PDB file of all heavy atoms in Angstrom:
ATOM      1  N   LYS A 139      -2.512 -51.310  34.830  1.00 98.00           N
ATOM      2  CA  LYS A 139      -3.834 -50.673  34.857  1.00 98.00           C
ATOM      3  C   LYS A 139      -4.606 -51.085  33.604  1.00 98.00           C
ATOM      4  O   LYS A 139      -4.035 -51.501  32.610  1.00 98.00           O
ATOM      5  CB  LYS A 139      -3.706 -49.145  34.879  1.00 98.00           C
ATOM      6  CG  LYS A 139      -2.989 -48.584  36.073  1.00 98.00           C
ATOM      7  CD  LYS A 139      -3.928 -48.463  37.238  1.00 98.00           C
ATOM      8  CE  LYS A 139      -3.452 -47.530  38.308  1.00 98.00           C
ATOM      9  NZ  LYS A 139      -2.476 -47.974  39.205  1.00 98.00           N
ATOM     10  N   LYS A 140      -5.935 -50.931  33.675  1.00 98.00           N
ATOM     11  CA  LYS A 140      -6.790 -51.120  32.500  1.00 98.00           C
ATOM     12  C   LYS A 140      -6.928 -49.744  31.853  1.00 98.00           C
ATOM     13  O   LYS A 140      -7.565 -48.858  32.401  1.00 98.00           O
ATOM     14  CB  LYS A 140      -8.149 -51.669  32.911  1.00 98.00           C
ATOM     15  CG  LYS A 140      -8.079 -53.073  33.484  1.00 98.00           C
ATOM     16  CD  LYS A 140      -9.446 -53.560  33.896  1.00 98.00           C
ATOM     17  CE  LYS A 140      -9.545 -53.512  35.394  1.00 98.00           C
ATOM     18  NZ  LYS A 140     -10.809 -54.015  35.932  1.00 98.00           N
ATOM     19  N   VAL A 141      -6.294 -49.574  30.708  1.00 98.00           N
ATOM     20  CA  VAL A 141      -6.288 -48.291  30.017  1.00 98.00           C
ATOM     21  C   VAL A 141      -7.386 -48.293  28.953  1.00 98.00           C
ATOM     22  O   VAL A 141      -7.454 -49.205  28.130  1.00 98.00           O
ATOM     23  CB  VAL A 141      -4.921 -48.006  29.361  1.00 98.00           C
ATOM     24  CG1 VAL A 141      -4.971 -46.726  28.542  1.00 98.00           C
ATOM     25  CG2 VAL A 141      -3.826 -47.925  30.417  1.00 98.00           C
ATOM     26  N   ILE A 142      -8.243 -47.285  29.010  1.00 98.00           N
ATOM     27  CA  ILE A 142      -9.256 -47.106  27.987  1.00 98.00           C
ATOM     28  C   ILE A 142      -8.801 -45.937  27.125  1.00 98.00           C
ATOM     29  O   ILE A 142      -8.781 -44.796  27.569  1.00 98.00           O
ATOM     30  CB  ILE A 142     -10.665 -46.860  28.575  1.00 98.00           C
ATOM     31  CG1 ILE A 142     -11.142 -48.081  29.377  1.00 98.00           C
ATOM     32  CG2 ILE A 142     -11.668 -46.595  27.434  1.00 98.00           C
ATOM     33  CD1 ILE A 142     -10.959 -47.976  30.833  1.00 98.00           C
ATOM     34  N   LEU A 143      -8.373 -46.257  25.906  1.00 98.00           N
ATOM     35  CA  LEU A 143      -7.912 -45.270  24.939  1.00 98.00           C
ATOM     36  C   LEU A 143      -9.154 -44.664  24.284  1.00 98.00           C
ATOM     37  O   LEU A 143     -10.043 -45.399  23.839  1.00 98.00           O
ATOM     38  CB  LEU A 143      -7.013 -45.951  23.911  1.00 98.00           C
ATOM     39  CG  LEU A 143      -6.224 -45.090  22.953  1.00 98.00           C
ATOM     40  CD1 LEU A 143      -5.266 -44.168  23.709  1.00 98.00           C
ATOM     41  CD2 LEU A 143      -5.440 -45.972  21.983  1.00 98.00           C
ATOM     42  N   VAL A 144      -9.237 -43.334  24.237  1.00 98.00           N
ATOM     43  CA  VAL A 144     -10.436 -42.649  23.745  1.00 98.00           C
ATOM     44  C   VAL A 144     -10.076 -41.772  22.547  1.00 98.00           C
ATOM     45  O   VAL A 144      -9.118 -40.999  22.598  1.00 98.00           O
ATOM     46  CB  VAL A 144     -11.060 -41.769  24.856  1.00 98.00           C
ATOM     47  CG1 VAL A 144     -12.335 -41.101  24.363  1.00 98.00           C
ATOM     48  CG2 VAL A 144     -11.335 -42.588  26.118  1.00 98.00           C
ATOM     49  N   ASP A 145     -10.870 -41.902  21.475  1.00 98.00           N
ATOM     50  CA  ASP A 145     -10.685 -41.053  20.297  1.00 98.00           C
ATOM     51  C   ASP A 145     -12.045 -40.709  19.719  1.00 98.00           C
ATOM     52  O   ASP A 145     -13.055 -41.316  20.077  1.00 98.00           O
ATOM     53  CB  ASP A 145      -9.805 -41.751  19.259  1.00 98.00           C
ATOM     54  CG  ASP A 145      -9.132 -40.774  18.291  1.00 98.00           C
ATOM     55  OD1 ASP A 145      -9.191 -39.544  18.537  1.00 98.00           O
ATOM     56  OD2 ASP A 145      -8.542 -41.231  17.307  1.00 98.00           O
ATOM     57  N   ASP A 146     -12.052 -39.732  18.809  1.00 98.00           N
ATOM     58  CA  ASP A 146     -13.331 -39.290  18.241  1.00 98.00           C
ATOM     59  C   ASP A 146     -13.812 -40.197  17.114  1.00 98.00           C
ATOM     60  O   ASP A 146     -14.946 -40.646  17.117  1.00 98.00           O
ATOM     61  CB  ASP A 146     -13.279 -37.822  17.806  1.00 98.00           C
ATOM     62  CG  ASP A 146     -12.164 -37.493  16.829  1.00 98.00           C
ATOM     63  OD1 ASP A 146     -11.311 -38.361  16.540  1.00 98.00           O
ATOM     64  OD2 ASP A 146     -12.138 -36.346  16.341  1.00 98.00           O
ATOM     65  N   VAL A 147     -12.951 -40.497  16.134  1.00 98.00           N
ATOM     66  CA  VAL A 147     -13.366 -41.290  14.971  1.00 98.00           C
ATOM     67  C   VAL A 147     -12.392 -42.438  14.746  1.00 98.00           C
ATOM     68  O   VAL A 147     -11.177 -42.229  14.739  1.00 98.00           O
ATOM     69  CB  VAL A 147     -13.421 -40.418  13.689  1.00 98.00           C
ATOM     70  CG1 VAL A 147     -13.815 -41.258  12.471  1.00 98.00           C
ATOM     71  CG2 VAL A 147     -14.397 -39.260  13.866  1.00 98.00           C
ATOM     72  N   LEU A 148     -12.924 -43.634  14.554  1.00 98.00           N
ATOM     73  CA  LEU A 148     -12.120 -44.780  14.147  1.00 98.00           C
ATOM     74  C   LEU A 148     -12.342 -44.972  12.653  1.00 98.00           C
ATOM     75  O   LEU A 148     -13.477 -45.143  12.204  1.00 98.00           O
ATOM     76  CB  LEU A 148     -12.536 -46.032  14.919  1.00 98.00           C
ATOM     77  CG  LEU A 148     -11.822 -47.338  14.559  1.00 98.00           C
ATOM     78  CD1 LEU A 148     -10.314 -47.205  14.674  1.00 98.00           C
ATOM     79  CD2 LEU A 148     -12.339 -48.466  15.438  1.00 98.00           C
ATOM     80  N   TYR A 149     -11.256 -44.905  11.900  1.00 96.00           N
ATOM     81  CA  TYR A 149     -11.336 -44.991  10.440  1.00 96.00           C
ATOM     82  C   TYR A 149     -10.399 -46.110   9.975  1.00 96.00           C
ATOM     83  O   TYR A 149     -10.754 -47.277  10.034  1.00 96.00           O
ATOM     84  CB  TYR A 149     -10.982 -43.623   9.849  1.00 96.00           C
ATOM     85  CG  TYR A 149     -11.019 -43.487   8.355  1.00 96.00           C
ATOM     86  CD1 TYR A 149     -11.922 -44.179   7.563  1.00 96.00           C
ATOM     87  CD2 TYR A 149     -10.133 -42.639   7.713  1.00 96.00           C
ATOM     88  CE1 TYR A 149     -11.941 -44.031   6.180  1.00 96.00           C
ATOM     89  CE2 TYR A 149     -10.143 -42.485   6.335  1.00 96.00           C
ATOM     90  CZ  TYR A 149     -11.052 -43.181   5.569  1.00 96.00           C
ATOM     91  OH  TYR A 149     -11.065 -43.026   4.211  1.00 96.00           O
ATOM     92  N   THR A 150      -9.200 -45.800   9.577  1.00 95.00           N
ATOM     93  CA  THR A 150      -8.273 -46.819   9.064  1.00 95.00           C
ATOM     94  C   THR A 150      -7.642 -47.657  10.178  1.00 95.00           C
ATOM     95  O   THR A 150      -7.202 -48.769   9.939  1.00 95.00           O
ATOM     96  CB  THR A 150      -7.134 -46.175   8.258  1.00 95.00           C
ATOM     97  OG1 THR A 150      -6.384 -45.327   9.132  1.00 95.00           O
ATOM     98  CG2 THR A 150      -7.676 -45.392   7.072  1.00 95.00           C
ATOM     99  N   GLY A 151      -7.583 -47.097  11.386  1.00 96.00           N
ATOM    100  CA  GLY A 151      -6.935 -47.776  12.510  1.00 96.00           C
ATOM    101  C   GLY A 151      -5.519 -47.291  12.752  1.00 96.00           C
ATOM    102  O   GLY A 151      -4.886 -47.659  13.738  1.00 96.00           O
ATOM    103  N   ARG A 152      -5.016 -46.436  11.881  1.00 95.00           N
ATOM    104  CA  ARG A 152      -3.627 -45.985  12.003  1.00 95.00           C
ATOM    105  C   ARG A 152      -3.405 -45.073  13.213  1.00 95.00           C
ATOM    106  O   ARG A 152      -2.360 -45.145  13.869  1.00 95.00           O
ATOM    107  CB  ARG A 152      -3.169 -45.320  10.710  1.00 95.00           C
ATOM    108  CG  ARG A 152      -3.063 -46.320   9.580  1.00 95.00           C
ATOM    109  CD  ARG A 152      -2.601 -45.717   8.271  1.00 95.00           C
ATOM    110  NE  ARG A 152      -2.554 -46.735   7.238  1.00 95.00           N
ATOM    111  CZ  ARG A 152      -1.534 -47.572   7.065  1.00 95.00           C
ATOM    112  NH1 ARG A 152      -0.483 -47.503   7.841  1.00 95.00           N
ATOM    113  NH2 ARG A 152      -1.579 -48.485   6.123  1.00 95.00           N
TER     114      ARG A 152
END
Side-chain angles (χ1 to χ4, degrees):
K139 299 277 199 282
K140 294 179 255 182
V141 175
I142 297 98
L143 191 60
V144 182
D145 202 10
D146 56 354
V147 178
L148 177 55
Y149 181 33
T150 63
R152 292 180 181 277

